[in-house]
């Protein structure tokens, strides 16, 4: 532990690795420290979906656009497989289609395409044409397999850029130019702390001032349905989960309609995302429940709400292969960035959009710490 580094990154989830990548690309000497032997939190318990269309205009949209560019660069540099591209939002109700039409006519809708129900079904196998009235296709989204990408990205950083990983090591104190750990002292001029949903180990008082809580989600993996997705798929409920859609005036009418028809789904924060893995299986979700301390148990009733939304669009539900819960930090603002010390940055994505915005955020933080 006697090595000296320009930057120590605490946390090896996607946000930590994004900061390590941004620093390593500048030729800086980087160490990543994590108390776990490998990433096992929100960074691998998700859809692996890089979402651009629907991100809240402003910072979130800009970070997503830049992050997408970096994902595409890494596909070539690190051999990361892009499993499919684009996103289809299948509109089931007139209120949803009206919202999509307004989005299409706005600043960020120009590259998207409105579809009739027949066009949507022709584009996406398996959809029940009777269940939808139209849709919107976005060309921007990317899908990777998170549980495979995280270790591959870490290996790439170590092998290509010389990033040093100290795993199974807890950080006990940060006092630049030193970081005290359970395995000894690390010399580091600057530090970025990316704790995910760990609010108590480092800077708990500072995190608490931002009103951060945890979000618990439920997700499932379904057996190969016998068709291939041409892109990620979302539905009416999803439109209320993304600021780029939810802030539009038409979202009010959609929310009222869904409150009548899908009240239980709304109460449990359910919206439908469907993506497909290389083996044909589907990753489907999810739900959202909030609090500081959330139980670890999945609810069958909530799973059935998610599966019910899937069945509405596809007519049948493949066998469930796996179920899991995930947890991520949540707050009013999409990103928490604070400065506990002039040479330290605390960075938490508090919107569940780490894969979508993390690489852009990493670059911005490194510029802030080290200059242009």
């Amino acid at each position: 532990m006697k090595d000296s580094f320009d930057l120590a990154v605490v946390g090896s989830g996607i946000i930590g690795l994004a900061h390590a990548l941004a620093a390593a690309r500048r030729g800086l000497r980087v160490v990543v420290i994590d108390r776990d032997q490998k990433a096992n939190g929100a960074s691998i318990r998700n859809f692996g979906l890089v979402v651009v269309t629907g991100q809240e205009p402003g910072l979130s949209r800009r970070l997503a656009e830049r992050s997408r560019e970096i994902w595409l660069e890494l596909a070539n540099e690190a051999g990361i497989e892009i499993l499919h591209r684009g996103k289809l939002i299948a509109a089931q109700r007139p209120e949803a289609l009206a919202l999509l039409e307004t989005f299409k006519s706005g600043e960020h809708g120009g590259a998207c395409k409105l579809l009739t129900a027949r066009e949507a079904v022709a584009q996406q196998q398996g959809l029940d044409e009777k269940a939808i009235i139209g849709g919107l296709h976005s060309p921007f989204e990317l899908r990777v397999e998170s549980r495979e990408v995280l270790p591959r990205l870490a290996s790439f950083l170590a092998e290509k850029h010389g990033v040093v990983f100290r795993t199974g090591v807890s950080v006990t104190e940060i006092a630049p130019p030193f970081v005290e750990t359970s395995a000894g002292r690390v010399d580091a001029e600057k530090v970025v702390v990316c704790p995910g949903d760990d609010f108590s180990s480092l800077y708990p008082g500072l995190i608490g001032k931002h009103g951060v809580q945890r979000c618990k989600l439920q997700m499932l993996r379904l057996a190969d349905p016998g068709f291939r997705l041409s892109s990620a798929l979302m539905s009416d409920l999803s439109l209320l989960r993304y600021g780029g859609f939810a802030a539009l005036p038409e979202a009010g009418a959609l929310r009222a309609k869904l409150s009548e028809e899908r009240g239980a789904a709304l109460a449990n924060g359910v919206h439908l995302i469907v993506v497909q893995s290389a083996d044909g299986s589907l990753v489907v979700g999810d739900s959202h429940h909030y609090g500081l301390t959330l139980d670890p148990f999945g609810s069958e009733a909530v799973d059935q709400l998610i599966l019910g939304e899937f069945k509405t669009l596809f007519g049948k539900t493949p066998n469930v292969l796996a179920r899991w819960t995930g947890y991520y930090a949540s707050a009013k603002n999409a990103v928490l960035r604070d400065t506990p010390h002039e040479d330290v940055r605390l960075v938490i994505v508090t919107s569940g959009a780490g894969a979508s915005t993390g690489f852009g955020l990493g670059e911005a933080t490194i510029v802030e710490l080290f200059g242009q």
Side-chain angles (χ1 to χ4, degrees), residues 92-93 95-96 235-240 251-267 270 309:
Q92 301 157 274
R93 298 166 180 83
E95 293 83 0
S235 66
D236 290 8
L237 286 164
S238 306
L239 296 172
L240 301 181
L254 177 60
R255 185 179 297 277
K257 188 68 171 179
L258 288 171
S259 295
E260 295 176 8
E261 299 180 356
R262 294 290 191 272
L266 283 182
V270 170
E309 292 299 318

Side-chain angles (χ1 to χ4, degrees), residues 151-170:
R152 179 168 294 187
L153 181 55
S155 295
F156 168 75
L157 288 170
E159 296 165 7
K160 175 71 174 179
H161 292 287
V163 174
V164 175
F165 284 82
R166 309 291 195 196
T167 58
V169 174
S170 297

Side-chain angles (χ1 to χ4, degrees), residues 44 68 77 82-83 85 131 162 170 201 250 281 293 344 353 372:
I44 64 165
R68 179 184 185 273
E77 296 174 11
I82 306 297
L83 293 173
R85 302 175 186 233
S170 297
S201 296
E250 288 77 8
S281 64
T293 301
V344 180
Q372 293 288 353

Side-chain angles (χ1 to χ4, degrees), residues 183-254:
R185 175 174 288 184
V186 176
D187 294 350
E189 293 299 319
K190 299 181 188 294
V191 184
V192 176
V193 179
C194 306
D197 74 326
D198 178 0
F199 306 152
S200 57
S201 296
L202 297 168
Y203 307 117
L206 189 57
I207 294 172
K209 290 180 180 179
H210 288 273
V212 182
Q213 58 183 339
R214 289 182 178 86
C215 177
K216 171 188 171 182
L217 54 86
Q218 291 182 206
M219 296 178 63
L220 308 98
R221 184 175 291 275
L222 307 184
D224 186 339
F227 57 79
R228 289 295 176 266
L229 293 181
S230 59
S231 66
L233 184 131
M234 296 185 184
S235 66
D236 290 8
L237 286 164
S238 306
L239 296 172
L240 301 181
R241 300 293 314 179
Y242 290 92
F245 298 121
L248 296 175
E250 288 77 8
L254 177 60

Side-chain angles (χ1 to χ4, degrees), residues 46 61 63 88 90 131 150 204 216 230 234 261 297 332 368:
N46 57 40
R61 174 79 188 205
L63 291 176
L88 172 64
L150 265 290
K216 171 188 171 182
S230 59
M234 296 185 184
E261 299 180 356
F297 307 110
K332 181 178 180 180
E368 188 177 299

Side-chain angles (χ1 to χ4, degrees), residues 40-42 44-46 215-220 286-287 289 294-299 302-303 322-328:
N40 67 354
I44 64 165
R45 304 187 199 184
N46 57 40
C215 177
K216 171 188 171 182
L217 54 86
Q218 291 182 206
M219 296 178 63
L220 308 98
D286 57 356
S287 58
H289 297 90
L294 295 160
D295 68 69
F297 307 110
S299 162
V302 172
D303 279 355
R323 307 169 190 258
W324 64 94
T325 57
Y327 302 87
Y328 65 77

